Amino acid sequence: ILGSTVHAAAATFAAFLVGLALGARIAGRWVERAQYLVAVYIAVEVAIAVTAGAVGTLLHGLREPIALLVGSPDTFGRGFQSFLVTLGLVIIPTWFMGATFPVILALARRQGAALSAISRIYAFNTLGAALGAFACGFFSIRLLGVPMSIGVGMALNLASAALVLLLLQKRRSA
């Protein structure tokens, strides 16, 4: 929507990272006091699916008006405007994405997980995000189109929540 310039990529990436940082910071402040961390994690994954799906659908549907509004972000003013528009659109889903790590960390600590296990969880989480971004950018959109790719992303987040719920139920019954 913002184009394929370095400035457009920087605005998008910066907005995404701001959301992640805010989510991690804010969730990190209250997650230690949360009683049902597994339920919190499941709720966060569902919230990512819903909000990212809604934002993705909105961005796809309004891509032309947004591009006309912002214009080419090749100057500082336009680049900053692009950053603010992008931030306004992605702040909620990226906030939830950023919240996942403090929730997982607190849950692992409560379970007495070793540092190596926690780092492994974070590595798999980050690797999954990278593979998802790669697959979407290089394959999914080309093969399925944008709306179906959004649906696949939503389904994967919901599957993550369902898997955690399934593992929790299996552990309780064991």
Side-chain angles (χ1 to χ4, degrees), residues 3 10 13 20 24 37 40 44 58 61 64 67 69 72 75 80 86 89 91 106 113 117 127 147 152 167 169:
F13 190 57
L20 290 178
L37 284 175
V40 171
V44 168
L58 180 71
E64 291 175 13
L69 171 72
S72 176
T75 65
F80 189 68
T86 305
L89 292 168
I91 192 73
L127 181 62
V152 168
L167 291 172
Q169 289 175 343

Side-chain angles (χ1 to χ4, degrees), residues 123-160:
F124 282 125
N125 183 288
T126 305
L127 181 62
L131 290 174
F134 181 83
C136 186
F138 286 96
F139 302 108
S140 178
I141 291 175
R142 187 173 295 149
L143 296 172
L144 304 174
V146 173
M148 186 64 80
S149 295
I150 292 169
V152 168
M154 292 175 68
L156 289 171
N157 270 98
L158 293 174
S160 177

Side-chain angles (χ1 to χ4, degrees), residues 25-125:
R25 174 69 175 140
I26 294 168
R29 296 177 100 180
W30 60 264
V31 75
E32 292 287 339
R33 295 185 304 269
Q35 187 174 359
Y36 302 106
L37 284 175
V38 172
V40 171
Y41 177 77
I42 291 168
V44 168
E45 286 294 340
V46 170
I48 292 169
V50 171
T51 60
V55 167
T57 302
L58 180 71
L59 284 171
H60 182 64
L62 297 176
R63 63 190 175 276
E64 291 175 13
I66 292 171
L68 288 173
L69 171 72
V70 176
S72 176
D74 56 359
T75 65
F76 177 76
R78 288 286 189 184
F80 189 68
Q81 184 180 7
S82 297
F83 167 73
L84 292 177
V85 168
T86 305
L87 181 62
L89 292 168
V90 303
I91 192 73
I92 294 173
T94 57
W95 184 94
F96 284 117
M97 290 173 197
T100 59
F101 184 64
V103 173
I104 290 170
L105 181 63
L107 187 58
R109 286 178 53 198
R110 279 192 193 169
Q111 298 295 318
L115 183 58
S116 61
I118 294 170
S119 61
R120 206 169 31 255
I121 291 168
Y122 184 66
F124 282 125
N125 183 288

